[in-house]
Amino acid sequence: MKKYLFFDVDGTLYNHDKIIPDSTLKALEIAKNNGHEIAIATGRAPFMIKDILKELNIHTYVSLNGQYVVYNDEVIFTDSISKETLTKIIEFGSARNEPVVFLDDAQMIASKGEKEEIAISLATLKYPYPSIDATYYLNKPVYQTLIFTDEEGEKEYREQFPDIQIIRWHPVACDILPKGGSKARGIQKIQQFVNVPLENIYVFGDGLNDVEMLSYVPNSIAMGNGHTKAKEVARYVTDHVDENGIYNALKMLELI
């Protein structure tokens, strides 16, 4: 019976060097040949995963941590924080000299230039400094926003804005989402759209932004290189991404 396999990108399909290990490529090819559908579930925006979608011939994905969901090349769900709330968040951060970066499906835009925290964090994704437009969100749909603050600052954002969700992905960078926004919700939208039983879905992840989907889907697999919280909620823990983690997981699950 056909299964739907959702993979996180960074730390799950991509290793530290942003390369897909050969064993992972082999495993995905076998899984496809066995009739299973390969999909992506990532915090990245659609424009940031074009290469991997093309390389793996994938047409279904949950992007921007569930805020932009595509099934078979059709957008089936989008969500975002309201412009009013976002204005307050930007003003709060600006008073602290903390910038934001806006993301839609096509590009990312920074509110300020020459901010070290933006350059450092985006460099880990191998992305250059974005173009600058502090009012971009007022005229364009923004599906996810990045804030740049340390863990102490994050607590203050949480206290000030209890109706948003904050997920840290770098020592100086966090994603902010609508309350209830997550990869789990994005996967649920696809599940409902195609009317597939939850037991026919498998999810693979490693980070804090994978916790919800690893908790929601019974067939959940955390990477050996994953965050402790991801491993704690997953049903299974496989090997490190560079130690045949995906191949070994699919083999253990008898999907290949």
Side-chain angles (χ1 to χ4, degrees):
M1 184 176 291
K2 179 179 180 178
K3 311 295 185 185
Y4 292 78
L5 317 181
F6 288 85
F7 295 89
D8 169 56
V9 174
D10 299 282
T12 300
L13 292 180
Y14 279 161
N15 62 15
H16 181 73
D17 297 318
K18 306 305 177 191
I19 294 170
I20 305 175
D22 288 342
S23 66
T24 298
L25 290 172
K26 179 181 179 182
L28 296 181
E29 188 62 30
I30 297 171
K32 278 186 179 179
N33 290 339
N34 287 345
H36 305 308
E37 180 158 347
I38 308 299
I40 296 288
T42 182
R44 288 175 175 247
F47 72 90
M48 301 171 73
I49 58 172
K50 282 184 177 179
D51 288 347
I52 196 168
L53 293 175
K54 184 177 180 180
E55 180 180 2
L56 300 178
N57 192 26
I58 290 174
H59 300 276
T60 294
Y61 56 87
V62 172
S63 65
L64 293 165
N65 287 309
Q67 308 320 295
Y68 194 93
V69 181
V70 170
Y71 178 74
N72 201 20
D73 296 325
E74 177 188 351
V75 180
I76 64 168
F77 176 77
T78 64
D79 195 14
S80 59
I81 293 172
S82 71
K83 287 181 170 57
E84 293 76 16
T85 300
L86 202 46
T87 296
K88 293 175 183 177
I89 292 169
I90 292 165
E91 290 173 349
F92 181 78
S94 183
R96 302 157 56 91
N97 196 31
E98 292 174 344
V100 300
V101 167
F102 309 112
L103 292 101
D104 60 20
D105 58 310
Q107 61 184 331
M108 66 171 79
I109 305 289
S111 63
K112 296 180 181 178
E114 299 181 359
K115 299 294 289 186
E116 184 181 20
E117 56 267 51
I118 292 179
I120 288 172
S121 57
L122 292 184
T124 65
L125 300 176
K126 299 195 181 297
Y127 264 83
Y129 205 98
S131 53
I132 301 156
D133 182 353
T135 62
Y136 183 80
Y137 74 104
L138 293 174
N139 306 305
K140 301 279 187 178
V142 169
Y143 303 114
Q144 185 167 286
T145 303
L146 313 182
I147 56 173
F148 299 85
T149 189
D150 58 19
E151 290 190 7
E152 202 57 43
E154 180 186 340
K155 292 177 185 176
E156 296 181 39
Y157 277 92
R158 289 184 186 277
E159 291 170 3
Q160 191 73 20
F161 304 100
D163 292 330
I164 65 168
Q165 189 165 336
I166 301 175
I167 302 175
R168 181 165 296 279
W169 59 272
H170 186 276
V172 299
C174 299
D175 300 323
I176 58 172
L177 312 171
K179 202 71 172 179
S182 68
K183 294 182 184 182
R185 184 173 65 163
I187 289 170
Q188 186 180 49
K189 296 297 180 184
I190 291 176
Q191 178 195 354
Q192 293 169 344
F193 190 79
V194 298
N195 193 27
V196 58
L198 192 58
E199 59 264 27
N200 286 357
I201 294 176
Y202 292 72
V203 294
F204 302 76
D206 72 296
L208 289 173
N209 64 339
D210 296 315
V211 169
E212 290 89 353
M213 76 170 184
L214 292 170
S215 302
Y216 171 66
V217 179
N219 295 313
S220 57
I221 302 90
M223 303 301 292
N225 50 283
H227 193 284
T228 301
K229 290 184 178 179
K231 294 179 182 179
E232 286 174 349
V233 300
R235 183 175 182 181
Y236 306 104
V237 178
T238 187
D239 299 304
H240 191 287
V241 61
D242 278 324
E243 296 172 357
N244 305 328
I246 295 298
Y247 184 94
N248 292 342
L250 293 181
K251 194 80 172 172
M252 180 267 296
L253 295 164
E254 299 182 349
L255 294 169
I256 64 172

